[in-house]
Amino acid sequence: MSERSALNNARFAYVPKMPEVFSAAISEIKAVPTEAIEPDVDKESLKAIFKHSYGKPAVKFVQGTNVAANKALTVGVLLSGGPAPGGHNVVAGLFDGLKRGSPGSRLIGFKGGPGGLVDDSHLELTSDIIDSYRNTGGFDIVGSGRTKIETPEQFEKALTNARNHQLDALVIVGGDDSNTNAALLAEYFAEQNAPITVVGVPKTIDGDLKNEWIEASFGFDTATKTYSELIGNICRDAASGRKYWHFIKLMGRSASHIALECAFQTRANVTLISEEVQAKSMSLAQVVEVICSSVAARAAKGENFGVVLIPEGLIEFIPEIKVLIDNINDLLASEEAAFKALKDVNAQRAFIQNKLPEESAAVFASLPEQIQAQLCWDRDPHGNVQVSRIETEKLLVSMVQTRLARMKEEGSYKGKFDYQTHFMGYEGRCAFPSNFDADYCYSLGFTAYLLALYGFSGYIASIRNLASPASEWIPGGIPLVSMMNIEHRHGADKPVIKKALVELQGKPFQYFASQRDKWALSSDYRLPGSIQYFGPPAVTDATTMMLQIERS
Ligand code: FBP
């Protein structure tokens, strides 16, 4: 056994805070159906696909007599997609719920994500194992993966393995794609008359799995606090050395929630919001102009330094590049064999360049070679461009340099520009969960157990009122299909959970828009410091600013 840090040992002893109702015996917690919730769009198509799951009501757990109590259950759990702080506490909350319900209950962990269910790679999770992961970051208790369960053979194997383990329920901890898989599995199991309840848990540091019922996905709190600490430190370094502009790309495959939260926490000089870029149909040149105007204005005050936050997904939201990526996706799908046979990246770039429609070919040709190559790299199993591998921050720096040189010639810029680039993503995904994420995840795991016990298949665990103390949180669940729509993926229409992007009319963006001109000029950065696990609750238990602004 490796040597554990003092904090690691201290965190084992942390007892997560839970909603008041969970302090009752399982026999005293009952499920109450509330209103029926339907998807916003594509209702008829979704009704046809999800014959067994469509039109079910939301539920919440309250004190009252539970007729299902004391039943021993066998439950499977898998962790899917990118890690997010708190995943281990979901498993611990689920395990403790199961054992509180009946000591004879069992928890089977499928290894390496959905692939572990299909291939039956598993281990039984015992209290010794669970205890050595409580309140720690990472997904390594069983590992994670991005396999998409989509072929009839994969569905069959998943069912056979679930049956062989005599599972009463399967809990899938994941983001939008993984919970889409959960909804499809629930429907398939029902269609096959298999009494196996499938429950989802909302995970992703990206923060884009949310709605009125899912106020936040777990991991967002810790990840943004981790990045904000580092960004705050960089802001202070920039103001101390006074010689660099720092270009920081921040994770978040599509939505800009992470960048927005980090902007609130640090007041960096420029924060780009992909959703705004798309809504205003901004070109790459216009995005560069936004940065250059802050650089020039600060240079005029003698401040040749600053910090720019760039959401990872930005590149896909610039309309001309989005069209280009769509065209490359189509090409890669239709000419996969010919593309894969090419000998090197230069041949691949030339292949794409020659086959693109005229407008996209021109955009492709205008990009640096390295970015061209990165746009050609493999898609993930869900068909997404791997934006974490595209060096948007470097692309922007080189375009800013070119533009500033021209502005100098024109006399509209008189400063000196030097830079550093950073990418923050993986640093935050396995941090020790903040108290908020430790509490939230443990409660989500416990909620998933109750949904399993009551047989709410095709539901995702939901905990509301998160801006209030944990004792006032409202646990329950909603049908996954209510979060879905139909999207065109891989050349076909598919039911998927809709990503929750930054709403430009929403309170957080509106607040940001009211402050950003001031932040662009100011060097009075906000310094959040590191996550605190011990101390006064005002320091240890603060939620994200996003949640506070949304609920204010
Ligand atoms: P999930 O949606 O699975 O939670 O993953 C989020 C994320 O961290 C994105 O922010 C990022 O683009 C992606 O995963 C990186 O994926 P990978 O771990 O496969 O490199």
Side-chain angles (χ1 to χ4, degrees):
M1 169 107 19
S2 62
E3 189 184 314
R4 292 205 178 97
S5 68
L7 179 70
N8 198 335
N9 282 325
R11 286 310 275 171
F12 285 152
Y14 178 74
V15 179
K17 301 185 278 302
M18 295 228 272
E20 178 76 42
V21 60
F22 289 167
S23 53
I26 300 294
S27 56
E28 294 301 320
I29 305 174
K30 76 169 181 188
V32 180
T34 57
E35 68 258 52
I37 40 174
E38 280 195 292
D40 295 338
V41 290
D42 303 323
K43 295 183 192 197
E44 291 312 315
S45 316
L46 290 166
K47 206 182 275 179
I49 299 168
F50 293 96
K51 294 189 186 65
H52 302 272
S53 324
Y54 194 95
K56 291 185 179 172
V59 293
K60 70 176 177 184
F61 294 108
V62 297
Q63 277 202 315
T65 307
N66 173 359
V67 285
N70 302 328
K71 198 171 143 207
L73 300 181
T74 301
V75 173
V77 64
L78 64 87
L79 306 175
S80 182
H88 289 156
N89 271 25
V90 174
V91 180
L94 174 60
F95 181 85
D96 290 353
L98 279 163
K99 294 292 180 185
R100 179 134 55 108
S102 166
S105 290
R106 295 172 63 217
L107 183 60
I108 312 285
F110 290 100
K111 293 185 190 172
L117 173 64
V118 175
D119 302 333
D120 194 23
S121 170
H122 69 275
L123 85 164
E124 175 148 2
L125 294 166
T126 58
S127 55
D128 281 353
I129 299 177
I130 298 284
D131 288 349
S132 60
Y133 285 93
R134 287 180 192 272
N135 305 305
T136 62
F139 271 15
D140 43 318
I141 188 167
V142 286
S144 184
R146 289 197 186 277
T147 302
K148 184 174 185 194
I149 302 180
E150 55 185 345
T151 64
E153 296 74 39
Q154 286 175 311
F155 276 96
E156 252 173 57
K157 280 187 178 176
L159 178 54
T160 306
N161 294 332
R163 276 191 169 132
N164 288 344
H165 286 289
Q166 299 182 322
L167 294 189
D168 297 291
L170 173 68
V171 175
I172 296 184
V173 180
D176 52 337
D177 286 332
S178 318
N179 275 293
T180 295
N181 248 198
L184 292 167
L185 267 180
E187 185 63 26
Y188 177 75
F189 288 175
E191 187 67 36
Q192 302 298 317
N193 283 319
I196 304 167
T197 301
V198 183
V199 173
V201 174
K203 168 235 75 166
T204 177
I205 60 158
D206 295 2
D208 57 7
L209 184 58
K210 66 172 183 176
N211 55 34
E212 195 195 329
W213 302 83
I214 312 287
E215 295 178 5
S217 54
F218 81 74
F220 179 74
D221 185 90
T222 310
T224 52
K225 285 187 167 114
T226 306
Y227 306 140
S228 298
E229 180 210 349
L230 299 175
I231 296 165
N233 296 349
I234 287 175
C235 288
R236 197 151 220 179
D237 192 287
S240 305
R242 304 178 70 86
K243 60 178 179 178
Y244 292 127
W245 270 86
H246 292 266
F247 283 60
I248 307 174
K249 184 176 80 164
L250 288 164
M251 252 192 190
R253 186 202 302 285
S254 296
S256 308
H257 299 295
I258 291 181
L260 194 53
E261 174 66 17
C262 293
F264 294 144
Q265 293 285 354
T266 63
R267 302 183 181 174
N269 302 102
V270 179
T271 301
L272 301 169
I273 301 296
S274 308
E275 291 82 346
E276 183 183 30
V277 167
Q278 184 175 46
K280 292 184 173 166
S281 282
M282 289 169 77
S283 63
L284 195 48
Q286 286 172 313
V287 172
V288 169
E289 204 58 45
V290 170
I291 303 173
C292 289
S293 59
S294 174
V295 174
R298 290 176 61 76
K301 297 199 302 167
E303 306 204 325
N304 289 300
F305 64 88
V307 175
V308 183
L309 303 184
I310 305 154
E312 177 182 71
L314 175 75
I315 193 124
E316 281 194 296
F317 283 73
I318 298 171
E320 68 211 29
I321 304 220
K322 178 166 182 359
V323 174
L324 168 66
I325 290 175
D326 287 346
N327 285 328
I328 297 178
N329 286 349
D330 287 348
L331 254 176
L332 294 181
S334 62
E335 308 226 17
E336 194 184 356
F339 183 79
K340 288 214 161 124
L342 296 167
K343 67 177 188 326
D344 61 21
V345 69
N346 290 334
Q348 291 178 340
R349 288 193 299 107
F351 179 89
I352 298 281
Q353 179 72 64
N354 291 334
K355 296 204 170 233
L356 283 171
E358 200 179 331
E359 257 178 50
S360 282
V363 176
F364 192 69
S366 72
L367 298 172
E369 282 181 13
Q370 207 164 339
I371 302 288
Q372 289 180 346
Q374 289 161 6
L375 286 173
C376 299
W377 282 343
D378 282 349
R379 275 40 185 165
D380 78 4
H382 296 267
N384 303 307
V385 174
Q386 300 191 50
V387 279
S388 61
R389 302 178 68 189
I390 297 179
E391 295 174 313
T392 322
E393 68 284 17
K394 293 191 179 155
L395 171 69
L396 289 175
V397 162
S398 93
M399 293 186 73
V400 163
Q401 279 177 311
T402 310
R403 177 70 190 127
L404 288 176
R406 187 146 324 135
M407 286 168 73
K408 219 169 216 174
E409 280 165 25
E410 294 162 4
S412 54
Y413 168 64
K414 297 195 172 59
K416 180 177 174 307
F417 180 77
D418 213 342
Y419 70 91
Q420 296 287 346
T421 56
H422 314 258
F423 169 36
M424 292 179 194
Y426 298 97
E427 297 84 342
R429 302 199 307 181
C430 287
F432 280 100
S434 60
N435 281 359
F436 173 84
D437 270 328
D439 300 345
Y440 181 39
C441 289
Y442 189 80
S443 302
L444 281 171
F446 202 89
T447 305
Y449 155 67
L450 288 169
L451 289 169
L453 179 68
Y454 274 97
F456 285 107
S457 196
Y459 277 65
I460 184 168
S462 135
I463 296 188
R464 303 174 81 187
N465 205 24
L466 291 177
S468 301
S471 58
E472 294 166 31
W473 290 352
I474 304 166
I478 59 162
L480 280 161
V481 67
S482 70
M483 299 167 68
M484 299 182 96
N485 68 355
I486 304 285
E487 286 177 22
H488 196 70
R489 299 249 180 119
H490 283 305
D493 285 344
K494 304 227 164 116
V496 292
I497 291 182
K498 211 162 65 184
K499 270 192 198 299
L501 301 178
V502 170
E503 280 178 24
L504 301 184
Q505 297 313 317
K507 284 188 197 169
F509 180 81
Q510 289 294 317
Y511 173 66
F512 164 74
S514 72
Q515 301 298 313
R516 64 176 154 190
D517 290 347
K518 194 168 67 191
W519 296 346
L521 282 180
S522 170
S523 302
D524 186 18
Y525 302 112
R526 184 176 182 278
L527 306 164
S530 62
I531 296 176
Q532 300 296 309
Y533 299 94
F534 306 97
V539 181
T540 55
D541 293 359
T543 57
T544 56
M545 293 223 183
M546 186 88 71
L547 208 49
Q548 290 170 36
I549 296 169
E550 271 167 355
R551 306 286 143 189
S552 65

